[in-house]
Amino acid sequence: MSAEPAVRVEDKLFQNRYLVDAGRPHITVTPHEVPSPRLLSLTKVCPAGCYAQSDTGQVEITTDGCVECGTCRVIAEPTGEITWNYPRGGFGVLFKFG
Amino acid sequence: MADEKFDTIVIGAGPSGNACAYTLAKRGLKVLQLERGEYPGSKNVQGAILYADALETIIPDFRKDAPLERHIIEQRIWMMDDRSYCGAHYRSEDFNEEQPNRYTIIRAPFDKWFSRKVAAAGALVICETTVLELVRDADGKVIGVRTDRDGDPIYADVVVMAEGVSGLVGARAGLRPVPKPDTVALAVKEMHFLPKETIEARFNLKGDEGVVIEAAGTITKGMTGTGFIYTNKECISIGIGCLISDFAETGQTPYGLLDSFKSHPSVKPLLAGSEVKEYAAHMIPEGGYKAIPQLYGDGWLIVGDAGQFVNAVHREGSNLAMTTGRLAAETILELKSRHAPLTAANLASYKKRLDESFVMKDLKKYRNLPGTLHNKHLFTTYPQLLSKAAQTWFRVDGIDKKSKEEAIVHSFFKARSLKGILGDAIGMVRAWR
Ligand SMILES: Cc1cc2nc3c(=O)[nH]c(=O)nc-3n(C[C@H](O)[C@H](O)[C@H](O)COP(=O)(O)OP(=O)(O)OC[C@H]3O[C@@H](n4cnc5c(N)ncnc54)[C@H](O)[C@@H]3O)c2cc1C
Ligand code: SF4
């Protein structure tokens, strides 16, 4: 692989507008000890970088930057590894352009 | 609202829901449209090319006040490897016509505009309201919806699911499956702002003329997908999308892919000096004809992306959304006009209308293409070979042309055996027919 500078998705999300529904995450990861490869793939696939692996190896989610694309649902909801809902009406990402 | 009953509830205020609600309200039906976003468009993402025809059928004079960006006079198709592109460009003065055929648009302002038309036609449009589930009677007939506003059901004779590619409400009700990772793409997109004059100079444009570029090749790093670059009045939309199953398998990050597309030597100068004002992501249905779910039942219909209505070859989606929304409305209007109940048997005429329209005809034509496109050679080997062939051909270096031709042919067979090339070609031709 050529050495490409790491892309920081935080810098991209910084431009976006959100109305965060504090304390009411619309997506949760089902408690697990060892994540499946499917669950682990979310740490790369999520376009907003919402998923990360904790020090002890579990996959965790922080939904604040979520752009509600539904990708993680397509991958991991059918197996019950995550729960997925839309944020409450009016909350979440607010695209100015889209 | 609890004791009120509507003729139709439309879930979602994207192009499909708006086309449906507008057509119904215009003809006097009592319509409730529910949208989860703060305003219509706040959750929606598109390239975006608007195909005038589908909208013109619904709102003939839309050009008067719709927020259009540029009318498209030039289409570029690029086959890219890491250092080059080989392309076909088509530009014509004929596209500078009285009523242009294709425009670039920006979805948030466009959806707001369309929604104002829907409200003006008489529909009740309520935003900031997420539909949680369908309400059904003892026989399973859909009779309304429940939202997160208050727990009470809202009733209607028919519910139109214009909820977009995720299809959450329909899937929760067991009326349709959740999209599969290999039938939906994930696309990421950025808006790059530049002065109008800079865009016009870089793309050889004047006034409201626009250029759109569709790109494929090594930019998707072997995954099935494409990139795009569209000119708006004062910004450039750039994005890239690949099948979700491919992302999951390769571990490529969508934003990493977008940034390497942006830094391609042929793309970078087009964006130089721009200010990025938004980063968005959205899914696109890519499964085509074979991924279309059941589209109607007792008291319900599915329109737009929720029905997987996207023609991935021609990058058409919003026009299929508007057309299916309109056809659903016409089905309801016809049944209502003769006081026929909105049962599965009667609503089946929606499917008949779809089959007779370009929507199903086009999707059917390409029904085998999604499978054929799951071929990484199309996105790596061939673009590289094409670039090498073009370079061999154009370089003047004392080698005779006959030897150059032979070298080009040899390079193809070396990289992909005769059997491989024939297989790919036959597969393509079959899927295209
Ligand atoms: C990057 C990208 C580029 C594209 N480029 C083009 C292009 O150039 N040309 C083209 O024609 N098409 C293009 N498409 C496809 C096009 O955007 C879609 O086909 C079109 O938006 C589908 O319209 P829709 O109304 O069915 O769904 P959507 O536009 O997704 O609208 C669905 C609406 O329903 C709302 N909703 C969903 N669930 C609920 C709920 N439970 N309660 C309340 N509201 C809800 C959503 O907030 C949304 O407003 C592109 C798509 C993407 C992602
Ligand atoms: S919906 Fe999309 S943006 Fe949100 S967490 Fe899932 S993959 Fe990430």
Side-chain angles (χ1 to χ4, degrees):
Chain A
M1 274 299 292
S2 60
E4 280 167 23
V7 181
R8 279 174 41 92
V9 71
E10 297 81 0
D11 297 340
K12 293 185 182 293
L13 299 175
F14 180 69
Q15 307 293 334
N16 294 357
R17 286 203 307 148
Y18 295 93
L19 188 59
V20 176
D21 199 359
R24 299 179 67 148
H26 57 286
I27 304 170
T28 61
V29 178
T30 309
H32 56 279
E33 262 171 37
V34 181
S36 71
R38 192 180 306 108
L39 197 52
L40 262 181
S41 76
L42 299 183
T43 62
K44 295 276 178 57
V45 182
C46 169
C50 295
Y51 289 87
Q53 216 173 351
S54 71
D55 296 340
T56 48
Q58 288 77 33
V59 170
E60 297 174 336
I61 183 164
T62 313
T63 53
D64 293 6
C66 173
V67 288
E68 299 160 34
C69 68
T71 301
C72 57
R73 168 174 173 251
V74 167
I75 294 176
E77 192 204 45
T79 56
E81 290 167 285
I82 64 166
T83 66
W84 202 99
N85 284 291
Y86 287 123
R88 274 194 296 161
F91 288 94
V93 73
L94 289 164
F95 290 128
K96 258 182 294 178
F97 308 106
Chain B
M1 209 189 303
D3 39 274
E4 244 184 301
K5 189 182 174 196
F6 293 88
D7 289 317
T8 306
I9 292 174
V10 178
I11 307 174
S16 65
N18 286 338
C20 185
Y22 180 88
T23 308
L24 290 170
K26 195 86 186 158
R27 294 267 298 273
L29 256 57
K30 193 167 161 188
V31 180
L32 170 66
Q33 190 182 30
L34 299 166
E35 165 59 45
R36 67 187 190 88
E38 186 190 68
Y39 45 85
S42 62
K43 303 292 184 185
N44 301 343
V45 182
Q46 191 179 325
I49 300 175
L50 172 79
Y51 305 97
D53 181 68
L55 182 56
E56 206 163 10
T57 310
I58 299 161
I59 305 181
D61 62 350
F62 75 92
R63 291 182 182 83
K64 264 203 329 226
D65 53 4
L68 306 170
E69 291 292 313
R70 293 174 179 274
H71 65 277
I72 299 162
I73 63 150
E74 183 174 334
Q75 172 80 54
R76 302 180 186 170
I77 296 171
W78 287 359
M79 190 53 109
M80 307 177 79
D81 77 353
D82 293 348
R83 298 174 64 79
S84 70
Y85 70 79
C86 240
H89 292 193
Y90 183 70
R91 179 184 176 110
S92 174
E93 198 52 31
D94 292 347
F95 291 133
N96 275 319
E97 55 201 330
E98 189 89 2
Q99 309 220 310
N101 183 258
R102 301 196 299 162
Y103 296 89
T104 51
I105 55 163
I106 297 175
R107 273 295 292 274
F110 179 83
D111 285 6
K112 271 193 204 167
W113 166 85
F114 203 164
S115 180
R116 281 197 300 273
K117 296 277 175 195
V118 174
L124 178 59
V125 182
I126 301 185
C127 292
E128 297 185 83
T129 306
T130 303
V131 173
L132 300 178
E133 61 178 4
L134 299 174
V135 180
R136 303 167 88 169
D137 68 11
D139 300 329
K141 181 184 189 307
V142 173
I143 52 168
V145 302
R146 208 171 261 116
T147 73
D148 64 352
R149 217 160 244 263
D150 61 42
D152 293 337
I154 314 172
Y155 297 106
D157 291 336
V158 62
V159 175
V160 178
M161 282 172 262
E163 54 174 334
V165 51
S166 275
L168 199 72
V169 174
R172 295 263 152 99
L175 301 178
R176 49 150 317 142
V178 178
K180 306 267 176 304
D182 60 352
T183 61
V184 270
L186 166 66
V188 287
K189 177 193 169 191
E190 278 177 355
M191 294 298 258
H192 285 248
F193 280 73
L194 282 165
K196 198 169 180 294
E197 305 73 50
T198 310
I199 293 178
E200 284 159 17
R202 278 184 197 171
F203 288 87
N204 189 17
L205 301 168
K206 62 176 191 316
D208 285 339
E209 294 173 344
V211 169
V212 291
I213 306 174
E214 310 291 344
T218 60
I219 51 168
T220 55
K221 304 195 189 295
M223 298 186 282
T224 301
T226 53
F228 63 88
I229 301 169
Y230 298 161
T231 56
N232 302 307
K233 279 201 172 98
E234 289 177 344
C235 61
I236 294 171
S237 306
I238 179 163
I240 191 161
C242 297
L243 285 180
I244 288 179
S245 52
D246 282 355
F247 273 122
E249 210 169 280
T250 60
Q252 293 283 344
T253 65
Y255 37 90
L257 203 66
L258 177 61
D259 275 30
S260 63
F261 181 37
K262 278 161 52 183
S263 55
H264 188 283
S266 305
V267 174
K268 204 173 174 182
L270 297 174
L271 302 174
S274 63
E275 187 194 348
V276 185
K277 292 204 184 168
E278 191 169 83
Y279 167 72
H282 205 280
M283 292 196 295
I284 309 178
E286 298 275 345
Y289 189 75
K290 292 178 177 170
I292 296 174
Q294 174 68 23
L295 297 167
Y296 61 90
D298 279 330
W300 60 273
L301 290 170
I302 291 179
V303 298
D305 272 13
Q308 305 287 306
F309 290 114
V310 165
N311 181 337
V313 183
H314 292 266
R315 316 308 307 158
E316 293 176 29
S318 63
N319 57 329
L320 306 195
M322 288 182 208
T323 304
T324 55
R326 174 176 61 80
L327 292 177
E330 287 171 1
T331 306
I332 296 168
L333 285 165
E334 196 266 323
L335 293 173
K336 281 260 168 193
S337 74
R338 52 186 180 87
H339 306 287
L342 299 170
T343 56
N346 284 335
L347 289 168
S349 61
Y350 167 54
K351 178 69 178 13
K352 198 158 162 272
R353 281 184 162 83
L354 289 172
D355 287 339
E356 284 162 4
S357 74
F358 76 96
V359 173
M360 283 298 196
K361 286 183 184 161
D362 284 357
L363 290 177
K364 203 164 179 183
K365 168 168 162 36
Y366 295 118
R367 66 190 174 281
N368 291 324
L369 205 62
T372 314
L373 291 178
H374 289 214
N375 176 348
K376 84 177 198 325
H377 295 290
L378 294 177
F379 299 91
T380 51
T381 318
Y382 289 117
Q384 281 160 348
L385 288 171
L386 211 59
S387 164
K388 235 176 103 191
Q391 197 163 132
T392 309
W393 192 245
F394 291 123
R395 259 185 208 283
V396 175
D397 49 10
I399 299 172
D400 65 282
K401 303 299 181 226
K402 180 122 202 319
S403 304
K404 277 182 187 261
E405 270 175 23
E406 280 164 12
I408 291 171
V409 172
H410 181 70
S411 73
F412 271 76
F413 288 122
K414 202 171 143 218
R416 186 107 176 91
S417 69
L418 176 60
K419 203 165 149 238
I421 292 179
L422 280 176
D424 294 342
I426 291 168
M428 263 312 202
V429 170
R430 279 217 181 116
W432 201 266
R433 269 201 312 225

